[in-house]
Amino acid sequence: MNSSLALKQYSLITGNYWAFTLTDGALRMLVVLHFHQLGYSPLQIAALFLFYELFGVVTNLLGGYLGARIGLNRTMNIGLGLQVVALAMLAVPTHWLSVPLVMAAQALSGIAKDLNKMSAKSAIKQLVSAEQQGRLFKWVALLTGSKNALKGVGFFLGGALLALVGFKASVLLMAVVLACTWLASLVLLQQDLGKAKNKPKFRELFSKSRAINSLSAARLFLFGARDIWFVVALPVFLSSQLQWNFWQTGGFLASWVIGYGIIQSFAPLLLGTSAGKIPGRNAAFLWAGALALVTLLLAQILNTSLAIAPFITPILIGGLIIFGIVFAINSALHSFLIVSYARADGVSLDVGFYYMANALGRLIGTLLSGYLYQQGGLSLCLWISAGFITLTAIISFGLPKQQ
């Protein structure tokens, strides 16, 4: 594929990913804050996301296989369409918003999100030649970083829309905007992008290299560690313990994710890729170890006598900012390595398997977030998070050396 066409397709894929991510982030914040307002407990709120994460595990595994057989353009467009349906399902009167309905809509949203993400990440492998590893890292980092920055904007958007127009109008408005994006993508996205030349067999879903398996295991614990404190525990803590309103809670979570996304975008520069250095096993191990240390220190500080009312807010915010910076570099490094390790023909099989592990980690983290917060508060969530990240570092040491 020539450079001009590759850049145009990359821009379209990124635009689709951005539009989807805005609605995904806003919907998550809408559900957490709206149902907390209705009196749901942290564990009950976490349960609302159970199918979102559970179906993400299945979707990544089967979606990679589907993308290799029918093309990544089709799996991306299916994801956009399903998100429109999920949003429309929630645009009903408040008394109709039963737990089964919300969980069903979240299930569709989980399928949609992981089809969209798997398609976007896999497609980049098709747009960059094998010799351009530096360029591959930059494109992956830019896509991932900008996506996470916009997810942060989505968090703020969700909190703002809930305060301004309410739950029903918010999801209806997002459904209309995303439907327009979906129609444009149907027309403009290249046909058969990422379609494997040799039709993969179903058994190939689990036939992975040691590098793919090790990186997938590391990713599982990395994202489980983040979601243990981020998904339910933190927004509920900010609302109930610090008495923050929707604007403050949504604004902080948005700012945190936006900053995390910006750091991801600059990860190639921070890791020396611009000077020709391609990061591998050692970088993955060292940055995971640094993140474990940051989390341990934050958990310990929150348990000390300093963690009293006048100090808890600056301690928490400062610690989470440092966590976000180091986590962003870890995440960007993993995102590059999976695309680099993946086979060229049928890339979505390897990327889908990897993001299946990512979704499984998020599922475990989401459930633990509600449970651990009820058992021991935010500090307990951070202690368990530190244990997960330590496992990430240990597993990362088993990755192959970068060639």
Side-chain angles (χ1 to χ4, degrees):
M1 184 180 294
N2 65 62
S3 297
S4 177
L5 179 57
L7 185 59
K8 288 178 181 177
Q9 289 295 300
Y10 174 77
S11 299
L12 181 58
I13 289 165
T14 303
N16 284 348
Y17 204 22
W18 284 355
F20 186 96
T21 298
L22 275 173
T23 66
D24 188 54
L27 181 59
R28 177 167 288 262
M29 190 55 55
L30 280 165
V31 170
V32 170
L33 295 179
H34 181 63
F35 284 90
H36 176 61
Q37 186 183 39
L38 293 178
Y40 282 60
S41 72
L43 188 55
Q44 288 173 320
I45 294 172
L48 294 175
F49 295 104
L50 175 62
F51 283 174
Y52 177 92
E53 304 296 355
L54 181 61
F55 277 84
V57 175
V58 178
T59 301
N60 276 298
L61 188 61
L62 298 179
Y65 173 78
L66 189 63
R69 292 192 68 90
I70 69 173
L72 297 170
N73 61 305
R74 292 186 176 89
T75 51
M76 173 166 273
N77 288 330
I78 290 170
L80 289 169
L82 287 176
Q83 182 76 340
V84 173
V85 175
L87 289 166
M89 286 175 64
L90 297 174
V92 296
T94 301
H95 62 276
W96 287 9
L97 284 175
S98 63
V99 170
L101 175 63
V102 176
M103 292 181 75
Q106 287 292 307
L108 279 183
S109 184
I111 294 170
K113 184 261 294 184
D114 284 298
L115 279 176
N116 196 266
K117 178 168 68 175
M118 178 277 300
S119 302
K121 297 288 181 71
S122 299
I124 296 178
K125 181 80 170 183
Q126 307 296 315
L127 303 177
V128 179
S129 67
E131 294 75 24
Q132 297 176 305
Q133 292 296 298
R135 186 182 190 187
L136 179 65
F137 192 5
K138 291 176 183 177
W139 279 24
V140 171
L142 179 60
L143 177 72
T144 305
S146 61
K147 182 270 292 186
N148 283 306
L150 280 174
K151 189 170 185 177
V153 175
F155 286 160
F156 178 76
L157 180 65
L161 286 174
L162 185 61
L164 292 173
V165 300
F167 187 83
K168 177 183 176 180
S170 299
V171 293
L172 189 59
L173 177 63
M174 292 192 296
V176 171
V177 172
L178 195 62
C180 295
T181 303
W182 173 62
L183 292 173
S185 181
L186 287 173
V187 175
L188 299 174
L189 192 59
Q190 181 184 350
Q191 301 298 306
D192 298 332
L193 183 66
K195 194 172 182 179
K197 297 181 179 66
N198 300 308
K199 296 298 182 185
K201 303 294 189 296
F202 193 77
R203 64 176 180 272
E204 292 181 51
L205 288 176
F206 299 98
S207 178
K208 304 298 170 188
S209 67
R210 177 172 170 268
I212 298 293
N213 288 331
S214 297
L215 188 62
S216 298
R219 185 76 171 194
L220 184 155
F221 286 107
L222 179 67
F223 271 75
R226 185 199 66 176
D227 284 4
I228 281 174
W229 59 264
F230 185 75
V231 174
V232 176
L234 183 61
V236 172
F237 179 85
L238 296 176
S239 296
S240 61
Q241 298 298 314
L242 301 187
Q243 303 300 311
W244 286 15
N245 59 32
F246 291 156
W247 289 93
Q248 291 171 308
T249 300
F252 173 72
L253 294 177
S255 299
W256 188 87
V257 177
I258 290 168
Y260 150 60
I262 291 172
I263 295 297
Q264 276 188 310
S265 299
F266 285 99
L269 181 64
L270 297 172
L271 291 171
T273 307
S274 57
K277 181 181 178 182
I278 305 301
R281 179 186 69 187
N282 291 342
F285 172 73
L286 291 173
W287 281 102
L291 184 62
L293 181 60
V294 168
T295 312
L296 283 169
L297 289 174
L298 181 57
Q300 180 60 42
I301 290 172
L302 287 177
N303 276 341
T304 65
S305 58
L306 290 175
I308 56 178
F311 300 100
I312 186 66
T313 299
I315 288 172
L316 182 62
I317 291 176
L320 293 181
I321 288 173
I322 296 172
F323 182 102
I325 292 170
V326 183
F327 181 85
I329 296 173
N330 275 274
S331 179
L333 179 56
H334 280 208
S335 294
F336 160 69
L337 289 175
I338 182 56
V339 179
S340 179
Y341 289 158
R343 73 192 93 172
D345 187 37
V347 57
S348 62
L349 284 169
D350 290 337
V351 174
F353 180 82
Y354 167 80
Y355 279 109
M356 178 272 292
N358 182 98
L360 183 58
R362 289 174 57 90
L363 171 62
I364 294 169
T366 297
L367 293 176
L368 287 176
S369 185
Y371 175 75
L372 293 174
Y373 185 79
Q374 288 191 174
Q375 298 301 311
L378 187 60
S379 61
L380 178 60
C381 295
L382 287 167
W383 281 115
I384 303 301
S385 174
F388 271 42
I389 299 168
T390 301
L391 288 173
T392 298
I394 293 170
I395 295 168
S396 297
F397 194 70
L399 292 172
K401 291 184 179 180
Q402 188 72 21
Q403 296 301 314

